[in-house]
Amino acid sequence: MSDTNFTDVDWSTLPRPEDDGAAERVEGFAVPSMALPASDDTNIDLSAPGRTVVFVYPMTGTPGTALPEGWDATPGARGCTPQACAFRDLHDDLAKAGAGRVFGLSTQTIEDQKEAATRLHLPYPLLSDNGLMFADAVGLPRFVLDGKAYFKRMTLVIEDSFVKKVFYPVFPPDRAAADVLEWLRSDA
């Protein structure tokens, strides 16, 4: 499988995720202090002071590895690589609009996160919540496919340890960074 298969997506052929209300319990939530391993070999505490944007996603594909059975038929599953690349491409604009930090977060291992961050030339770290400790503490919505838990796609704007804004559902994923940027500019 090539990167082209991960980035060239016809969104009209994929099932659109529905708003199931799962984001309502996350907005306004106090983010607990906990260290998450990052692709840049640091540990990140998302409750740190300032404004942080975290895009939460199911899983970036890995070249040469098949996606899980039923991936494209699962609403909101497809599109992690285009989403990560959109945040990469708008990273400087997001910073200028007030995002002090930007991160991606999934259940993938830190090794998988390092591979994706390097391959996609990301200017921000990817975080691993492989043990679901952060997800359980905050109540991040997820889905199960082939016996494995994946996050439902959402974007959090965390300000001084509180979730100030939640974007959910996110579709199409390659628009997520632009939607956050528009919101940041209007909230200034």
Side-chain angles (χ1 to χ4, degrees):
M1 211 174 264
S2 71
D3 285 352
T4 303
N5 291 343
F6 295 134
T7 57
D8 293 339
V9 181
D10 180 355
W11 304 115
S12 69
T13 65
L14 299 175
R16 184 179 196 92
E18 302 281 329
D19 187 348
D20 59 4
E24 293 171 13
R25 67 177 176 262
V26 177
E27 196 159 321
F29 194 87
V31 176
S33 178
M34 66 175 58
L36 292 168
S39 59
D40 64 357
D41 292 322
T42 62
N43 289 306
I44 302 296
D45 184 348
L46 294 175
S47 72
R51 185 176 270 183
T52 301
V53 173
V54 181
F55 67 95
V56 179
Y57 60 96
M59 175 189 79
T60 54
T62 303
T65 303
L67 293 169
E69 183 73 31
W71 192 256
D72 286 353
T74 303
R78 184 70 183 245
C80 302
T81 298
Q83 183 180 22
C85 291
F87 275 95
R88 175 197 66 202
D89 296 346
L90 291 176
H91 185 262
D92 290 345
D93 294 324
L94 290 163
K96 289 176 190 166
R101 305 183 307 165
V102 174
F103 303 105
L105 174 70
S106 80
T107 62
Q108 289 176 274
T109 66
I110 196 59
E111 291 79 17
D112 289 337
Q113 298 295 59
K114 286 179 181 182
E115 184 280 328
T118 299
R119 176 173 40 89
L120 300 174
H121 308 286
L122 302 180
Y124 54 83
L126 297 177
L127 308 178
S128 173
D129 189 19
N130 189 254
L132 300 173
M133 290 176 50
F134 182 78
D136 287 344
V138 177
L140 294 182
R142 49 201 106 145
F143 64 92
V144 176
L145 194 61
D146 202 22
K148 183 167 170 35
Y150 300 93
F151 294 142
K152 288 186 177 182
R153 189 180 315 280
M154 65 176 15
T155 304
L156 312 174
V157 179
I158 302 169
E159 193 163 300
D160 297 328
S161 80
F162 286 90
V163 179
K164 182 173 183 178
K165 173 72 175 164
V166 177
F167 295 83
Y168 180 84
V170 172
F171 192 84
D174 64 347
R175 274 282 315 156
D179 291 343
V180 171
L181 179 59
E182 182 180 328
W183 182 85
L184 288 171
R185 287 176 172 160
S186 70
D187 191 57

